[in-house]
Amino acid sequence: MKRELLRTLLAAGFGFLLLTAASASAQVSFGHAEKFCDAWLFELKDDSTALDPSLNDSNWQQVRLPHDWSIKQPLSPSLASCTGYLPGGIGWYRKHFTVHDSAARHYIYFEGIYNRSKVYLNGHLLGERPNGYISFLYDMTPYLKEGDNVLAVRVDHSRHADSRWYTGSGIYRDVWIIGAPETHLAPWGTSYQCEKLTDNSAELRVDFAVETHATPASRLEVAAELRDASGRRVAAAKSRIRDVVPADGSAGGFIRMHLQKPYRWDIENPYLYRLKVSLLCDGEAIDSCDIRAGLRTLTFDPDRGFALNGRWMKVKGVCLHHDAGVLGAAVPPEVWRRRLENLKDIGVNAIRMSHNPQAPIVYDLCDELGLLVMDEASDEWEYPKRKWIEGWNVGTPGYEGSYDFFDEWIERDITDMVRRDRNHPSIFLWSIGNEVDYPNDPYSHPVLDGSKISQPMFGGFNPQAPRAERLGEIARRLAACVRSVDTSRPVTGALAGVVMTNETDYPEAIDVVGYNYTEERYDMDHRTYPHRIIYGSENRPDIDAWRAVEKRDFIFGQFIWTGTDYLGESGRWPSRGFYTGLLDLGSFRKPRGWFRAALWSDKPVTYIGTYPAGDYLSVDAWDDWNYEKGDTIRVVCYTNAPQARLLLNGREAGAMKPYDPETGIIHWDIPYAPGELRAEGCNAAGEVVSSYTIRSSGRPYALRVTADRTQLPKERATAHLIVEVIDEQGVCVKLGDNGITCTIEGPAELLGLEGSNNSDMSDYTDNRHRAYRGRLLAYVQTIGQKGPVTVRFSSPLLKGATVQLEAE
C-alpha cells in the first residue's frame, strides 16, 4: 500500500457478543444459529468404524463442547516440551440429533478443531480442514434424513509436537447448527465499510452476497438498518438485486447509508451500533443477520506512527496465545473477559493474536472493551520450524508442523480469516505470518555471514537451506489474499531476522513492517527506508524496549511477549510453559505486570516487592514481607508518581525518593522487622496519590474463598473462585502451599484448579491441588439446571471455607 493511501485509512468493523442463540449468525452472516455443543460422544482412539451411523456408541464418553482432550491427560517428561509435555493422539466425536425445524437447509459450523479434521454426516464425508485454528462450515442438507442423524468427526493430532506452543486437541471451540431458507445471505458475505467519517456525518457502505439453491425468487432486495446503542434507528436503505440469481448460484451488491452525528469506536469509548441486514423476497424478510458495528478511522504514517480517529497514540500491546492453563484450549467467555479486563487495567490497549486466528468471543470482547487487535494467520509457511522436545532451545529439535498443507490451504485459510473477522472494529492490522524469516530456521541468505543480528542464527549462511528470496514471493501472494477481501486495514508481518529480510521483497510486499526484538535497527532502518512504517511486533518486557518506542515518533508501538503465561515452549522438565507474562496462568497480575502498569497506566499506580538486598534491581519482586528479623531487605517500588516514600508500622523506613526514569524503579535497603510495610506514591507537593501495603503473616490457619459472582445463569456460566491460605489475623500466607480439595453440591461442575505454579507437574484432572503463593483459583461452571450450588474447600489442619452460588 502506497504512502498516500496509508495517510488515512477509513475503516469500520463490528463485534458480536455471543450472548444469544442467534449470535453465530453474526459470525457467518446468514440463517438462524443455535449452539450445538451438548450431548456429544468421544473416544480417544482411531477407529475407522466410527463414521458408521449404525455403530453402537453407548459406551463412548459423554462430553460437552468445547472439549480439549490433551489437557485431561497426564503430563510426562517423555513428551515434547514445546507443547507443555502433554500428548496429542487421534480422537473421534459423534453426535446423534434429529432436525425438528422447518428450515430448507441446514449447515454445521465449527469455530475450530485442532487439527486435521474430517467431518462425516450419516457416513458421508462433508469435508476436511487441516488447519486447527480456522473456522469453517459445511452444508448438511444433501445427507440429512428424518429421524436419527449421526455426525462423526475424526481429529488427527497424532503429530503431537507440531507447534512451538500448546495447541490442545479436539473440538475445542463452539459448534453451531444453522437453519436457512433455500435462498439466503451468503456465509461471511456481509461486510461493512465507512467511506467517510467526520464529527458531523458518516457515509456507510454495506456489501452483501446472496446464495440460492432453488429456482430463483422473482424479486429479491436487501435492506440495511443501523441502530444506536439505545436501539433508535439512525440510518436505513435498500437495494434491489437486479441480476437474476440462478439456481445454485450467487449474486452480490452493496447499499450506501448516510448517518448524522456519528459516535466513534475508540479505546476509551468503544461505542457499538447494531447493523441489521435483511434479505427480502417480494417484500417479505426471509433471512437476516445482526452485526455489532463500530466506526473509526486509522491513520498510519512513516514519520508520525499511528493515529486512531485522528489522535496520534502509542500502541501498548501484548501477545496472547489461546490457552488458559488448567483449562487448556477450551476457554469459557468469562475467563477471556477477566483476562482481557485485567490486561486493560495494566494499561494494555492492544492484543496480538499469537500466532493464529482465535475464538470469535475474543474479538467480540476486544470490540466491547476497546482493545485494538492485530489478527495473525500463521507461524509457519512452506517449511517446518524447529520444535523443541527436551526444553526450550536445548537438545535436538523436532520438525513436525503445518508446513505440509501450506501450499494447498494457506490462501483459503487467510481469506477465511479475513472474511470471518473483518467486521470487528478492534482489528487494525492483518498479519500474514510470524517469524517465518527466522535466520536459518529455515531460510538462509549470504548476508548472515558476518551480520549482526540480535537473535540466534544457528550459524552463518547455509547454502543448503531454502533461499530467503522465497519470503518475498510468498508474502506477495498472501498479502493479495488479504487485500482481495479487505483494503481498509494494512497488511503486516512480524519479522524475526530483519537484516536478512531486508535483502528480500518481503518488507515491500506488506504495508506495515513489524520488528521482533530488534529495537537497535529502528533508527538505521528509518533512515534507510524512509517510507517504511515500523513498529515492535514482539518485544521484551524491559524498560529499554519501551523507551525505544516512547522516544521515537516514527515507532507507533510494541507488543510485549507476553500478556499472560501460557502452556508450551517449556523449559526442561519440570516446566508447564512460558512464564514471562504480565499475568500468570490464572490471569493474576505478576510483579512485572505492576511494573508495566507503572509505565503504561493512566491511573495512579504504586506497588512494592521485596527480596534479600543485593546489587540489582528486579521487576519480578513479589510482595512478601516475611524474613528473619534483622535481615537487610531490598524494597523496590514500581510507581508512576514522581516520588515515593516507605513506611514500616507507620514510621518512615525509607525517605522520599524521586522516580528514576532510567530504571523505572525506586528502591530502599532496610532491616526487616515484622508488621505492615507501606509505600506511598506522592505528587510534587508531597501529597499521597497512590499506595500499596503488604503485611507479615503468621502460620496457615484457615482457607478463605471469594467469588467474582454468586448469581449465575444456569446455561454454561463460569465463576472464578479465589481460595487463599490465611493466618489467624486474616492475612494471606504468601508462602502457603497447602493441598486443597474442592467439592461441589448442586447443578455445577469443577472445570479445574489453577495454582499458577509453572513447575508444578502434578495431576490437573482431579479436584485436589496445592496452593501457590498462598492462593488457588477454581473454575466452577453451571450445567443447565436451576438450583443452589454449594462449593466447599478443605485442607488438612486448616479451617475450611464454603461459598454459596445460585444457578438461575
Side-chain angles (χ1 to χ4, degrees):
M1 191 177 293
K2 301 299 183 182
R3 175 176 176 149
E4 58 269 20
L5 294 179
L6 285 167
R7 283 289 184 182
T8 302
L9 288 172
L10 290 177
F14 342 90
F16 335 112
L17 293 178
L18 302 186
L19 301 178
T20 66
S23 53
S25 297
Q27 291 185 47
V28 294
S29 69
F30 81 106
H32 174 78
E34 293 184 357
K35 272 193 178 179
F36 210 51
C37 294
D38 291 332
W40 285 77
L41 303 171
F42 173 70
E43 189 169 62
L44 185 53
K45 71 174 185 180
D46 193 14
D47 183 355
S48 61
T49 66
L51 62 85
D52 184 352
S54 64
L55 176 74
N56 182 357
D57 51 20
S58 58
N59 292 324
W60 283 36
Q61 178 187 355
Q62 295 188 21
V63 298
R64 291 193 304 170
L65 306 181
H67 177 252
D68 174 6
W69 80 66
S70 288
I71 201 66
K72 298 298 184 182
Q73 308 305 310
L75 295 138
S76 172
S78 65
L79 296 170
S81 61
C82 57
T83 53
Y85 299 102
L86 285 161
I90 298 177
W92 279 88
Y93 294 85
R94 285 168 61 91
K95 180 175 175 63
H96 295 259
F97 68 100
T98 302
V99 175
H100 295 291
D101 65 57
S102 59
R105 308 198 71 81
H106 291 88
Y107 300 80
I108 187 75
Y109 173 51
F110 296 91
E111 292 183 2
I113 303 176
Y114 203 92
N115 63 346
R116 302 176 189 268
S117 64
K118 294 184 179 180
V119 180
Y120 301 85
L121 176 62
N122 297 326
H124 300 278
L125 178 66
L126 295 180
E128 55 186 287
R129 199 67 181 249
N131 191 320
Y133 300 111
I134 294 294
S135 300
F136 56 92
L137 80 163
Y138 300 126
D139 187 351
M140 298 190 295
T141 310
Y143 307 111
L144 282 173
K145 61 182 183 179
E146 292 186 5
D148 185 51
N149 291 274
V150 180
L151 269 171
V153 182
R154 183 180 188 267
V155 185
D156 181 358
H157 193 198
S158 56
R159 300 168 177 85
H160 72 281
D162 62 348
S163 174
R164 296 194 294 161
W165 60 87
Y166 178 80
T167 63
S169 301
I171 309 178
Y172 70 104
R173 296 180 187 162
D174 283 332
V175 179
W176 303 79
I177 187 169
I178 301 171
E182 291 285 10
T183 300
H184 56 76
L185 296 168
W188 292 331
T190 302
S191 64
Y192 176 88
Q193 290 281 327
C194 189
E195 297 183 320
K196 180 181 178 182
L197 180 60
T198 69
D199 291 341
N200 294 320
S201 64
E203 300 292 338
L204 315 179
R205 170 174 166 147
V206 178
D207 287 90
F208 59 85
V210 174
E211 286 184 0
T212 183
H213 301 273
T215 303
S218 58
R219 183 169 176 264
L220 293 176
E221 293 177 295
V222 174
E225 67 173 22
L226 191 72
R227 294 183 179 272
D228 65 17
S230 69
R232 181 175 62 94
R233 191 170 76 171
V234 293
K238 285 184 181 181
S239 176
R240 183 172 180 181
I241 300 176
R242 302 188 182 281
D243 296 334
V244 176
V245 185
D248 294 317
S250 61
F254 63 88
I255 299 172
R256 282 198 166 91
M257 293 190 294
H258 181 79
L259 174 64
Q260 296 290 335
K261 298 292 183 181
Y263 293 99
R264 297 178 187 240
W265 183 94
D266 202 281
I267 55 176
E268 283 86 15
N269 180 28
Y271 192 92
L272 293 170
Y273 291 90
R274 183 171 294 278
L275 174 69
K276 183 175 183 179
V277 178
S278 300
L279 176 62
L280 310 178
C281 179
D282 294 329
E284 296 293 327
I286 59 172
D287 194 16
S288 66
C289 68
D290 283 304
I291 296 168
R292 304 256 294 186
L295 316 179
R296 80 286 187 276
T297 63
L298 309 175
T299 306
F300 293 84
D301 184 89
D303 297 315
R304 301 187 66 186
F306 167 70
L308 177 64
N309 295 319
R311 178 175 61 87
W312 299 99
M313 59 176 288
K314 293 296 186 183
V315 169
K316 303 171 181 178
V318 294
C319 305
L320 284 182
H321 279 312
H322 71 303
D323 73 89
V326 68
L327 302 179
V331 185
E334 297 90 348
V335 176
W336 269 114
R337 175 182 287 276
R338 176 171 170 268
R339 173 183 292 179
L340 294 173
E341 288 177 341
N342 287 350
L343 287 169
K344 187 154 188 178
D345 283 344
I346 287 173
V348 172
N349 62 24
I351 304 296
R352 179 187 179 199
M353 304 301 187
S354 308
H355 302 288
N356 46 264
Q358 299 210 23
I361 184 61
V362 187
Y363 304 84
D364 300 338
L365 289 168
C366 288
D367 290 342
E368 179 187 342
L369 297 173
L371 289 163
L372 295 166
V373 170
M374 172 180 168
D375 211 3
E376 194 153 65
S378 65
D379 186 57
E380 190 167 86
W381 283 1
E382 60 182 348
Y383 296 103
K385 291 180 177 179
R386 290 169 169 83
K387 314 297 190 309
W388 298 105
I389 308 301
E390 304 164 57
W392 187 59
N393 279 349
V394 298
T396 303
Y399 289 93
E400 294 174 341
S402 59
Y403 64 93
D404 59 307
F405 56 79
F406 176 85
D407 277 333
E408 180 180 357
W409 286 96
I410 189 60
E411 292 184 12
R412 183 174 176 184
D413 286 347
I414 286 185
T415 301
D416 283 354
M417 175 189 79
V418 179
R419 292 180 70 221
R420 187 196 75 168
D421 295 342
R422 60 184 164 171
N423 293 335
H424 290 281
S426 55
I427 295 176
F428 79 127
L429 289 170
W430 300 115
S431 171
I432 58 175
N434 170 65
E435 294 189 344
V436 293
D437 64 330
Y438 201 96
N440 287 323
D441 190 17
Y443 297 95
S444 196
H445 189 278
V447 75
L448 296 179
D449 283 335
S451 295
K452 181 182 178 182
I453 299 180
S454 63
Q455 291 179 287
M457 294 183 296
F458 304 112
F461 173 54
N462 178 7
Q464 306 303 315
R467 61 186 184 91
E469 288 79 3
R470 287 284 296 155
L471 294 165
E473 299 167 17
I474 296 172
R476 290 190 185 280
R477 172 184 162 197
L478 304 188
C481 292
V482 175
R483 294 173 187 139
S484 70
V485 181
D486 180 48
T487 58
S488 69
R489 305 162 175 94
V491 180
T492 188
L495 308 187
V498 179
V499 172
M500 181 181 78
T501 308
N502 280 342
E503 301 297 317
T504 77
D505 292 335
Y506 187 177
E508 296 303 314
I510 56 182
D511 306 314
V512 177
V513 184
Y515 282 36
N516 283 16
Y517 307 105
T518 43
E519 293 86 358
E520 74 279 359
R521 300 287 309 184
Y522 287 168
D523 290 332
M524 67 180 79
D525 279 16
H526 181 56
R527 291 191 299 268
T528 306
Y529 311 101
H531 298 298
R532 181 178 294 181
I533 301 169
I534 304 172
Y535 70 104
S537 43
E538 190 170 313
N539 305 87
R540 301 179 308 276
D542 60 66
I543 193 171
D544 290 340
W546 172 241
R547 297 296 189 224
V549 176
E550 191 177 42
K551 295 177 180 179
R552 292 167 174 83
D553 289 342
F554 64 89
I555 302 297
F556 69 74
Q558 67 171 194
F559 288 89
I560 291 174
W561 195 264
T562 176
T564 185
D565 293 350
Y566 61 93
L567 300 179
E569 287 197 275
S570 305
R572 290 191 183 274
W573 180 279
S575 173
R576 295 169 67 196
F578 214 73
Y579 47 90
T580 61
L582 305 182
L583 307 178
D584 65 21
L585 288 166
S587 292
F588 293 104
R589 190 184 299 188
K590 295 164 63 178
R592 62 177 51 201
W594 283 99
F595 180 76
R596 184 57 46 170
L599 294 176
W600 280 1
S601 180
D602 295 328
K603 304 172 185 176
V605 174
T606 293
Y607 167 91
I608 47 173
T610 69
Y611 49 89
D615 59 355
Y616 67 98
L617 295 175
S618 174
V619 299
D620 294 311
W622 292 98
D623 54 351
D624 297 329
W625 195 237
N626 279 78
Y627 296 94
E628 294 295 327
K629 192 171 183 179
D631 286 353
T632 301
I633 304 302
R634 174 153 291 186
V635 182
V636 291
C637 177
Y638 316 146
T639 185
N640 54 12
Q643 56 184 348
R645 62 174 172 245
L646 190 66
L647 306 176
L648 178 59
N649 295 322
R651 297 182 178 181
E652 185 175 280
M656 187 83 79
K657 285 188 176 183
Y659 178 80
D660 183 353
E662 293 300 315
T663 65
I665 298 174
I666 301 170
H667 77 281
W668 305 267
D669 291 339
I670 65 172
Y672 172 74
E676 179 183 278
L677 188 68
R678 175 182 175 88
E680 294 181 337
C682 301
N683 61 21
E687 299 167 331
V688 177
V689 294
S690 56
S691 64
Y692 196 89
T693 300
I694 58 179
R695 295 176 177 84
S696 306
S697 66
R699 295 181 179 277
Y701 172 74
L703 301 179
R704 178 172 61 205
V705 58
T706 306
D708 67 338
R709 57 200 300 202
T710 57
Q711 305 293 316
L712 294 92
K714 67 176 184 177
E715 301 293 344
R716 303 293 294 274
T718 304
H720 297 79
L721 308 185
I722 300 171
V723 187
E724 295 175 288
V725 179
I726 59 174
D727 66 10
E728 288 191 79
Q729 305 305 315
V731 177
C732 182
V733 182
K734 300 293 180 64
L735 300 179
D737 63 350
N738 304 69
I740 298 174
T741 299
C742 174
T743 58
I744 298 177
E745 297 176 4
E749 62 181 351
L750 177 68
L751 297 184
L753 296 171
E754 180 59 73
S756 300
N757 184 353
N758 185 60
S759 62
D760 185 345
M761 311 301 279
S762 60
D763 187 0
Y764 283 82
T765 67
D766 59 14
N767 66 332
R768 298 175 177 84
H769 207 69
R770 301 193 75 85
Y772 178 63
R773 300 199 52 76
R775 183 172 59 198
L776 190 66
L777 176 65
Y779 299 102
V780 174
Q781 188 176 80
T782 54
I783 59 174
Q785 303 168 18
K786 292 184 178 182
V789 177
T790 302
V791 187
R792 294 186 174 89
F793 297 94
S794 61
S795 182
L797 305 181
L798 302 184
K799 292 182 65 175
T802 300
V803 64
Q804 194 75 34
L805 310 178
E806 185 72 27
E808 300 177 323

